[in-house]
Amino acid sequence: MKTNSRAILTLLLALVLAIPAAAAPAPEPPAEAQPYELLAELEVVRLDNGMTFLLYPTRRAPIVSGVIRYDVGGKDEKPGQTGIAHMFEHMAFKGSSRIGTRDYAAEREVLDRLEAEALRLNELRRRLDRPDHDREQLEAELAATLQRLAELQAEAGQYVVSNEFDEIYNREGGTGMNAMTSADATTYFISLPANRLELWARMESERLLDPVMREFYSERSVVQEERRMRRDNSPVSQLWDLTLAVAFQASPYAYPVIGWEDDIARLTATEAREFYRTHYTPDRAVGVIVGDIDVDQTAQLLRDTFGRIPPRPDDLILPRIPSEPPQNGLRRAQLALDAQPTLLMGWHKPSAPHPDDLRAELLMQVVSGGRSARWFEKLVKQQRLAADVSAFSGPGEALDNLFMIYATPAGDTTLDQLEAAILAEVAQLAAEPVTEAEIERARKMLRADAIRGLETNMGMALQLASAAQIGGDPFYLEERLRQLERVTPAELQQFAAQYLVERNLTIARIAPPAAEQASLQP
């Protein structure tokens, strides 16, 4: 089973824990790069079922990189089912009624009996949660149900061809097959020899058309262990979860993408199947193919394969995602952990394609984008208050999100001192505009980042898929670069004055237990 990148791991670990790498000066874009002609070869294919494909032919190598990005992630979950998007992503690697099984008719009969026992187990657990039942009898029934579950899992396992989906790709030269679930989306990707494009189209459409909730409960145990290792044993991840839970009251961005521990333990294959039926409709998917392709032949192949997926039923209404109400006061939270003191701050702001999202990105680059950025110069090098400081957006990009700052103190600096210094720097952003030199340097770095991301087939495919869904436009990646040139210092100042204010701020910290106790003394 392929391990995916989660919202925290893709966002927090990439943008926060990798701060030293982020602090290195970014190279200038190649002189021959033309940032306004990056997508000249892009072709858009729309299938009758609502699915959109972006095709970008390039002869860099005789390979193709394929990406399918569904606008389905943690934001689509509801309380009690957190982690279900991630669990279904795991199921998508288990095959279909034709891949991954020796005898699907026999396997399905066992899976149905297995699911009945799993649902009964959850009911027994719910009854045990209430005090007005005979616990001794319920616990005996629960033990017997667990035993039947184990027996049925073993019986179902006799029909499973383990990892057949992976093995087919491996035999045909596939590389880098993986997937990731974030707060916003679930993305599946792989690279193959160009002459195996038809295999990719048939394999990917197969698992999206006919997924089987095979080995669900053993995989659920894998996810539970994954959470314990990557979340519960990571102080920074705990801080991240706390920050989001405090900053968001209505938005599903308050939930960890991997799910709360108790929710994961009670997820069922029935819920995963229903989640798939509700959310995995073709109109919510963007596919991207970059590589050595013939556009017309590829378009026909996509119609023959992905076109088989039924469109969203007319009577299927997606659950409404609640909007986050305005925050009207400073919120604070603190973890008492014997770990590196850490500060995480977040101000609510709009997400893309709202113009303030681009202004936020440019402002983040000005203050923390490399060793010559404003805050690295002042807080790290000159004042020596911070060991690390970084600004980034999170936890997702589909809903209104946060302008976030991560920092750790240097030497004997206290969290209070570091927090005060950062808030003073934030106030300065609203009091006076950044310089033209700072904003132009930030533009160059963002251009360079965008262009570097397009240098490989897979890099381009992932960027195109993400930008198309975030911006609602296949060409949004290029349009965002155009908009970047029009942002002024005055607009950045206005952004700071409007959003980076105390009533809109959440501050969360990791403080050692001794410091926590000291802060409570009169």
Side-chain angles (χ1 to χ4, degrees):
M1 179 63 200
K2 300 297 182 180
T3 306
N4 68 352
S5 303
R6 316 295 181 286
I8 298 303
L9 298 176
T10 56
L11 178 63
L12 185 62
L13 298 182
L15 296 177
V16 174
L17 297 182
I19 287 170
E28 293 296 320
E32 68 274 11
Q34 298 294 324
Y36 301 127
E37 299 177 4
L38 294 174
L39 306 182
E41 304 299 319
L42 185 65
E43 297 286 344
V44 181
V45 176
R46 302 186 191 278
L47 306 186
D48 291 342
N49 60 12
M51 192 168 185
T52 298
F53 277 91
L54 311 182
L55 309 182
Y56 195 96
T58 174
R59 302 297 183 262
R60 287 188 279 217
I63 61 172
V64 292
S65 293
V67 169
I68 305 293
R69 189 181 197 267
Y70 268 84
D71 178 28
V72 181
K75 65 178 173 53
D76 299 289
E77 296 172 350
K78 58 185 180 182
Q81 291 186 356
T82 62
I84 194 71
H86 173 220
M87 268 303 304
F88 179 77
E89 177 228 303
H90 277 237
M91 291 297 97
F93 284 90
K94 297 298 182 180
S96 66
S97 61
R98 289 168 291 277
I99 300 174
T101 184
R102 293 182 173 87
D103 182 346
Y104 181 63
E107 181 190 22
R108 180 174 180 176
E109 188 273 330
V110 180
L111 290 176
D112 288 344
R113 287 192 283 130
L114 173 62
E115 188 62 12
E117 292 298 330
L119 296 174
R120 175 172 172 74
L121 180 65
N122 274 3
E123 176 57 29
L124 290 171
R125 286 171 170 168
R126 281 191 288 270
R127 291 166 63 186
L128 275 171
D129 288 340
R130 302 195 298 268
D132 57 339
H133 289 286
D134 184 341
R135 293 191 62 84
E136 185 175 347
Q137 179 183 348
L138 284 176
E139 287 173 355
E141 290 183 38
L142 188 143
T145 302
L146 285 171
Q147 178 62 33
R148 288 194 296 272
L149 269 173
E151 293 169 354
L152 287 167
Q153 282 181 283
E155 185 177 350
Q158 298 175 9
Y159 301 104
V160 175
V161 181
S162 297
N163 301 318
E164 186 174 27
F165 200 89
D166 299 44
E167 290 301 323
I168 292 172
Y169 271 139
N170 289 338
R171 288 197 303 267
E172 301 298 328
T175 60
M177 184 176 78
N178 215 324
M180 53 188 173
T181 303
S182 72
D184 296 333
T186 306
T187 307
Y188 304 90
F189 50 92
I190 188 172
S191 295
L192 298 104
N195 61 2
R196 293 297 182 266
L197 178 61
E198 182 176 352
L199 171 70
W200 174 85
R202 298 197 179 281
M203 291 282 286
E204 296 302 310
S205 61
E206 170 83 4
R207 69 166 159 181
L208 297 173
L209 174 66
D210 181 31
V212 172
M213 303 300 109
R214 181 176 288 125
E215 299 179 305
F216 182 89
Y217 296 99
S218 59
E219 201 65 33
R220 188 180 67 178
S221 297
V222 171
V223 173
Q224 288 177 287
E225 181 61 22
E226 183 180 334
R227 179 187 165 86
R228 284 190 287 269
M229 295 297 295
R230 298 190 177 188
R231 314 289 307 166
D232 300 339
N233 293 334
S234 167
V236 174
S237 293
Q238 292 179 49
L239 181 66
W240 176 262
D241 287 347
L242 176 65
T243 304
L244 299 187
V246 173
F248 294 103
Q249 295 181 332
S251 171
Y253 279 169
Y255 314 146
V257 174
I258 198 170
W260 295 116
E261 182 177 4
D262 188 61
D263 286 353
I264 298 171
R266 301 188 186 215
L267 292 177
T268 66
T270 298
E271 292 171 324
R273 190 179 299 109
E274 185 58 32
F275 186 85
Y276 156 76
R277 289 172 178 164
T278 301
H279 296 287
Y280 267 69
T281 53
D283 54 297
R284 299 188 69 180
V286 170
V288 183
I289 303 172
V290 177
D292 189 2
I293 60 172
D294 178 281
V295 169
D296 291 337
Q297 291 179 5
T298 301
Q300 186 57 52
L301 173 63
L302 297 173
R303 295 186 185 99
D304 293 341
T305 52
F306 289 93
R308 300 177 300 151
I309 301 174
R312 182 174 68 178
D314 292 338
D315 60 350
L316 177 60
I317 300 175
L318 289 176
R320 186 182 69 86
I321 298 177
S323 300
E324 182 66 22
Q327 182 172 324
N328 292 310
L330 174 64
R331 299 173 185 168
R332 285 188 177 274
Q334 187 155 300
L335 288 174
L337 296 174
D338 187 13
Q340 167 69 50
T342 306
L343 184 65
L344 192 56
M345 312 166 80
W347 292 260
H348 292 276
K349 70 171 186 65
S351 60
H354 192 288
D356 280 333
D357 177 76
L358 182 60
R359 293 163 188 155
E361 184 181 19
L362 195 55
L363 189 59
M364 292 166 191
Q365 195 71 34
V366 167
V367 298
S368 70
R371 291 182 176 274
S372 58
R374 177 183 291 197
W375 290 355
F376 191 88
E377 283 286 340
K378 294 181 67 174
L379 298 176
V380 177
K381 293 170 64 175
Q382 296 175 14
Q383 300 176 13
R384 297 185 179 180
L385 295 173
D388 297 310
V389 60
S390 182
F392 57 96
S393 283
E397 299 173 287
L399 311 176
D400 286 355
N401 54 21
L402 299 175
F403 182 109
M404 306 193 78
I405 296 172
Y406 168 94
T408 57
D412 295 330
T413 303
T414 67
L415 283 172
D416 287 341
Q417 291 170 331
L418 180 58
E419 178 185 311
I422 291 175
L423 290 177
E425 291 295 325
V426 170
Q428 185 177 358
L429 295 174
E432 58 186 66
V434 303
T435 66
E436 290 287 352
E438 285 179 309
I439 200 171
E440 183 54 33
R441 172 189 163 279
R443 282 197 189 100
K444 287 181 179 179
M445 292 185 72
L446 291 176
R447 290 191 209 108
D449 287 344
I451 292 170
R452 277 198 307 276
L454 304 178
E455 289 177 349
T456 66
N457 288 356
M458 182 56 73
M460 174 175 277
L462 289 169
Q463 282 212 60
L464 286 174
S466 175
Q469 284 194 331
I470 291 169
D473 176 2
F475 294 88
Y476 181 66
L477 179 63
E478 184 163 348
E479 178 57 29
R480 192 170 174 92
L481 286 173
R482 293 180 184 274
Q483 294 171 4
L484 181 68
E485 296 300 315
R486 300 195 289 267
V487 178
T488 67
E491 288 175 332
L492 300 191
Q493 183 181 11
Q494 175 57 37
F495 173 90
Q498 180 176 351
Y499 297 104
L500 305 185
V501 294
E502 183 178 276
R503 68 178 182 277
N504 193 37
L505 170 62
T506 296
I507 300 176
R509 315 197 305 186
I510 295 175
E516 169 75 4
Q517 291 299 318
S519 69
L520 297 176
Q521 300 302 315

